[in-house]
Amino acid sequence: MFVDEIEIAVSAGKGGNGCVHFRREKYVPKGGPDGGDGGSGGDVIVKAITNIHTLTDYRHIRSLSAENGKPGDQCNRTGGQGQDLLIEVPVGTIITDKDLNHQIADLSREGQTVIIAKGGRGGKGNAGFTSSIRQAPSFAEMGDLGEARNLKLELKLVADVALVGYPSVGKSTLISVISN
């Protein structure tokens, strides 16, 4: 059995901060708060595909991270969500959390996906904190941090052909003649 393995750190995106803003118009003297909510951060998703056969694409990469959420804006506009990070691995990959020494997923079928790290939730803007008592809040909520994990990706393959024999009988010579 041939085992190809890598270790990689992944982190989901941080949620965007809420906005503090007050409505200003010419004939509206006290417009009130209109700060929007922040967008949520991107997730880290692993997908098994059949087009690749090894993990060598990620051999020299030490860390990957999804995009952060955008902050909220004036006029109650919600910030944009962070772009998800899609990691494509070959079918037969086992994903293990290195810190907890716990197997997260065994991707044994084509198209199988698993969310490894969830993105942070976006913060609430000052318009979300209004009430009958607090009519003009001058604060907003910060966005939450996304999850971060240290992973070990392990690919298990079963050999198609095996050469068995005593030492110095020509196994290496045979392979060198029939292959490049």
Side-chain angles (χ1 to χ4, degrees):
M1 180 177 282
F2 172 75
V3 178
D4 187 13
E5 66 181 51
I6 60 165
E7 293 179 358
I8 192 167
V10 296
S11 61
K14 177 188 177 297
N17 298 331
C19 177
V20 177
H21 190 265
F22 294 94
R23 182 175 164 208
R24 300 284 182 242
E25 291 184 27
K26 187 173 183 179
Y27 296 109
V28 182
K30 295 182 180 178
D34 70 343
D37 300 341
S40 59
D43 298 336
V44 177
I45 302 169
V46 178
K47 182 178 182 179
I49 60 172
T50 57
N51 293 347
I52 57 176
H53 304 290
T54 63
L55 294 171
T56 55
D57 295 341
Y58 303 105
R59 183 176 47 176
H60 298 295
I61 298 174
R62 295 288 172 226
S63 65
L64 292 170
S65 59
E67 189 178 68
N68 294 335
K70 306 291 187 279
D73 204 358
Q74 60 191 12
C75 299
N76 288 323
R77 288 188 293 228
T78 303
Q81 294 191 355
Q83 184 73 28
D84 292 341
L85 173 67
L86 181 67
I87 301 173
E88 294 178 334
V89 296
V91 175
T93 302
I94 297 173
I95 304 169
T96 306
D97 190 329
K98 208 171 86 172
D99 297 333
L100 302 175
N101 200 16
H102 171 71
Q103 181 176 331
I104 298 171
D106 184 3
L107 303 176
S108 59
R109 294 186 317 269
E110 179 184 3
Q112 190 175 2
T113 60
V114 63
I115 297 176
I116 297 297
K118 292 287 291 175
R121 186 181 59 85
K124 201 186 316 186
N126 69 337
F129 291 106
T130 58
S131 66
S132 60
I133 297 170
R134 186 187 308 135
Q135 296 178 0
S138 59
F139 59 90
E141 192 177 37
M142 302 286 283
D144 293 337
L145 292 175
E147 295 177 349
R149 289 189 171 189
N150 292 320
L151 301 177
K152 181 172 134 182
L153 302 178
E154 196 172 333
L155 175 63
K156 294 194 177 185
L157 299 173
V158 177
D160 294 331
V161 177
L163 291 176
V164 179
Y166 290 110
S168 301
V169 294
K171 296 183 297 289
S172 299
T173 306
L174 178 66
I175 290 175
S176 68
V177 170
I178 58 177
S179 68
N180 288 335

